[in-house]
Amino acid sequence: MNTSTHGLTSVPLSRLPGLLLTAAVAGLSIWLGTLPWMQNHGISALTLAIVIGIVLGNTVYRSLATRADAGVGFSKATLLRVGIILYGLRLTLQDIGQVGIAGVAIDALVLCSTFGLAWWLGTRLLGMDRNSALLIGAGSSICGAAAVMAAEPVIKGRAEQVAVAVATVVVFGTIAMFLYPLLYQWGVSAGWMPLDETAFGVFTGSTVHEVAQVVAAGRAVSEPAADAAVITKMVRVMMLAPFLVGLSALLARGQNSATGERSKITIPWFAFGFIAMVGFNSLQLLPADVVKVLVDLDTVLLAMAMAALGLTTHASALRQAGAKPMLLALLLFGWLLAGGMLINFGVRALLG
């Protein structure tokens, strides 16, 4: 009896040091993310959490790993999935109505074309391993670091592959954040920009990586552009769940073709939780103050997951990844900019 009781209590207690460590990194990251300079440059708490985690992971964490690994692993797996579910509280089904059929079609075409291009360019042209290419594709095509983390359980990528994919989001999302407003101003002054501020906001939301980067880029143009950009981005984020389910089925089918044997589809249960949370939030049953608290909790959980990822990422593995991941991300960035603009033009011409 005593042995059984000890066994039940020892598992949670073994996680405590790692949970405290990831919570401390998350708290620091969230605080830094509230600083005006960070907000003006679109640097989110999630980005800061993985950067701080990588720094600690390659220095002091090595001496703490034995005691902290259980909690860090729990943060990287379980807390991530809970965080993805609660992420649905940031969205409502009404968001879809605000961008209309054209906005949804633009998001879907950008997502599918970018991810498909990442798969083909990464594995065929650049000779990269499939997991790295797909993780970079997920981050570029949907919602940045959150999409990379959400896709990891389905793709079964290693920590260093996830970290590299997140790094590409940070680099090219930051470039986009500064480039898009300049592109709009130049297009208007030169007389070739056919998109008004709201339409350019849709273009921004459908092609820029992170939510924070979308907000910063949209505000640099105007408030109407920012509003349209954020709504379009939220609809794009909403596509994360069906994307994960479809990706799981596609990977299982590919494995069947390669081995000639039937393989099980990895059902990302948290994706369905995400959809359910979006639907529940659309009913507006919870007071706004409660939703805000839960959204803040979600930020903490996702930051803890990012911190855990950083803590388990070794600099040597990042160096071994070489230049190919950045080259792939650069090619995808070029597609998001040029191809995304063409998609926006084409859909608006067809649907208005």
Side-chain angles (χ1 to χ4, degrees), residues 31-43 216 219:
W31 175 75
L32 290 173
T34 63
L35 298 179
W37 189 91
M38 296 292 184
Q39 292 185 342
N40 291 337
H41 290 79
I43 300 176
R219 284 180 180 169

Side-chain angles (χ1 to χ4, degrees), residues 45-178:
L46 300 188
T47 299
L48 292 167
I50 190 172
V51 171
I52 295 172
I54 289 175
V55 172
L56 294 178
N58 287 275
T59 52
V60 298
Y61 181 68
R62 295 175 182 177
S63 61
L64 304 173
T66 303
R67 286 173 291 174
D69 269 350
V72 169
F74 184 80
S75 296
K76 191 168 63 173
T78 303
L79 294 189
L80 167 67
R81 288 159 174 77
V82 176
I84 294 297
I85 292 173
L86 289 178
Y87 203 84
L89 288 172
R90 303 167 193 259
L91 309 168
T92 66
L93 297 175
Q94 289 81 0
D95 292 334
I96 297 177
Q98 294 189 53
V99 300
I101 296 176
V104 175
I106 288 169
D107 277 339
L109 288 171
V110 168
L111 191 162
C112 294
S113 62
T114 304
F115 188 76
L117 198 60
W119 196 330
W120 184 81
L121 288 174
T123 58
R124 297 291 183 87
L125 182 64
L126 299 177
M128 295 171 57
D129 65 274
R130 188 191 67 181
N131 288 356
S132 294
L134 297 189
L135 288 169
I136 292 170
S140 297
S141 61
I142 309 176
C143 54
V148 174
M149 295 291 286
E152 183 273 331
V154 176
I155 296 172
K156 298 179 175 61
R158 300 189 304 274
E160 58 271 17
Q161 292 172 326
V162 177
V164 168
V166 171
T168 65
V169 168
V170 173
V171 171
F172 291 101
T174 301
I175 293 173
M177 185 180 63
F178 292 105

Side-chain angles (χ1 to χ4, degrees), residues 88 232 273:
T232 305

Side-chain angles (χ1 to χ4, degrees), residues 22-23 26-27 30 45-46 78-90 277 289-305:
T22 55
I30 291 169
L46 300 188
T78 303
L79 294 189
L80 167 67
R81 288 159 174 77
V82 176
I84 294 297
I85 292 173
L86 289 178
Y87 203 84
L89 288 172
R90 303 167 193 259
M277 194 61 71
D289 291 343
V290 175
V291 173
K292 183 181 184 305
V293 169
L294 291 174
V295 168
D296 289 342
L297 172 62
D298 178 54
T299 300
V300 172
L301 295 178
L302 290 177
M304 288 176 69

